[in-house]
Amino acid sequence: MNSHERLDGRALIYIAIALVTWSSAYAAIAYALASFTPGEVALARLAIGSLCFVVLLRARRAALPRRSDWLQLAVLGVFGLTAYHLCLNYAETRIASGTASILISLVPAVTAALSALWIGERITPRSALGLGVALLGVVLVVLTSGEQVRFQPMAALVLISVLASAVFFVGQKPLFARNDMIGVTTFGFLAGTLGAVPFGLGLPHALTLAPWSHIAALIWLGIAPTFVGYLTWNAALKRAPASQVTSFIYFSPPIAVLIGWVWLGEQPGWLTLFGGAITVGGVALANAKRRAPAPAMPVEPAAAKEC
């Protein structure tokens, strides 16, 4: 891990923007699935996001990654974006939303384990404890917020999404050190879009039949959760350790409950609020800085003995 990496104020702002945009994705996906197949939603979302990244790449005159990194980025794009979005979209048509919320919350723990094994990030016992406490809070939030939780075979698709997401986050991390972040992100999205093409071949025909509101949901998915969300998330990953950044994913269910409270008037119960507080405490514990050891007091030389 680079000693200059730290979770500073700018990284926290990037994380907050990503989480807010990502929290809107689940409802938009469910809305778009009324007119499009899971594969078509994945292709449209990735294609719109890729187009935005290409425009940004040209506007910023950013360089593409080194050719020696192209194969790794292509694999990461197909697995971390194509497989992730396909599995998540198919899962949303088959399993309860509460089940998906709990399983997706495994991403920080899996990312922390991969970060330690793959790129050598140090995970302290305090961080591991904080991740566990935050996960407990997420489970309490989901179970007490009225969402259905039923563990069934199709939930395995969400577990694949969890693994794909963790591999994508951790695998990109070393590439940011030797390439432009925008170039890395753009290349990964182009690869992910190409990987989704075979699953969304019916998209042009579906667009001619779908109502404008469902098309608008696709556009929102491509611009907000995809382009803005991944751009700010990768910017945070470039500045701070992957295990620390992904620990904030635990905030997604509490954010969704808060949005429902403010926007829809769905007042959460005390146990839900308590679960949210536990989540916040766990994330804070996972990211707490260790106190630097106090400097040792100089030892005065012993007085010379009199003869």
Side-chain angles (χ1 to χ4, degrees):
M1 186 181 71
N2 191 329
S3 60
H4 297 292
E5 292 176 354
R6 60 192 179 91
L7 194 64
D8 58 8
R10 182 174 295 182
L12 290 174
I13 291 174
Y14 290 149
I15 292 169
I17 294 172
L19 288 180
V20 170
T21 57
W22 283 351
S23 294
S24 70
Y26 299 102
I29 290 171
Y31 193 67
L33 285 173
S35 295
F36 303 97
T37 67
E40 290 165 356
V41 172
L43 176 58
R45 177 178 183 176
L46 292 173
I48 295 171
S50 294
L51 178 61
C52 292
F53 278 116
V54 168
V55 171
L56 179 63
L57 182 80
R58 296 295 299 273
R60 295 286 298 272
R61 297 182 179 179
L64 285 173
R66 301 177 182 179
R67 289 195 176 185
S68 58
D69 293 329
W70 284 11
L71 178 59
Q72 180 180 346
L73 261 175
V75 173
L76 287 173
V78 171
F79 187 56
L81 293 173
T82 307
Y84 171 81
H85 289 293
L86 284 173
C87 289
L88 187 61
N89 292 350
Y90 276 105
E92 282 215 23
T93 66
R94 302 293 182 88
I95 69 174
S97 59
T99 307
S101 298
I102 290 177
L103 293 177
I104 282 292
S105 295
L106 294 173
V107 169
V110 176
T111 301
L114 274 180
S115 298
L117 295 173
W118 191 348
I119 59 177
E121 287 188 2
R122 183 169 176 266
I123 309 299
T124 65
R126 177 186 296 177
S127 296
L129 177 61
L131 292 174
V133 170
L135 179 59
L136 177 63
V138 167
V139 172
L140 186 58
V141 167
V142 173
L143 292 178
T144 59
S145 61
E147 297 190 57
Q148 291 184 341
V149 177
R150 294 193 305 270
F151 293 97
Q152 52 203 112
M154 287 298 292
L157 288 176
V158 184
L159 294 178
I160 295 174
S161 294
V162 168
L163 179 61
S165 181
V167 168
F168 185 65
F169 293 152
V170 178
Q172 287 185 114
K173 181 70 177 173
L175 302 180
F176 292 150
R178 56 180 182 265
N179 296 290
D180 185 272
M181 185 272 292
I182 295 175
V184 168
T185 308
T186 302
F187 193 98
F189 263 85
L190 289 173
T193 302
L194 290 176
V197 168
F199 303 93
L201 294 176
L203 179 61
H205 179 65
L207 286 171
T208 63
L209 301 177
W212 169 245
S213 58
H214 292 173
I215 297 175
L218 290 183
I219 296 173
W220 173 263
L221 279 171
I223 295 176
T226 306
F227 173 61
V228 176
Y230 277 94
L231 178 64
T232 52
W233 188 260
N234 282 353
L237 279 176
K238 184 177 181 180
R239 300 181 67 87
S243 56
Q244 281 191 303
V245 174
T246 53
S247 69
F248 287 86
I249 289 177
Y250 284 131
F251 283 155
S252 290
I255 288 174
V257 171
L258 183 61
I259 290 174
W261 188 2
V262 174
W263 190 0
L264 304 176
E266 299 173 346
Q267 185 171 356
W270 287 109
L271 281 177
T272 304
L273 295 176
F274 181 60
I278 292 177
T279 302
V280 172
V283 173
L285 179 63
N287 293 288
K289 293 182 179 180
R290 296 176 60 188
R291 290 184 178 181
M297 297 295 293
V299 180
E300 295 183 0
K305 294 183 179 180
E306 293 183 0
C307 298

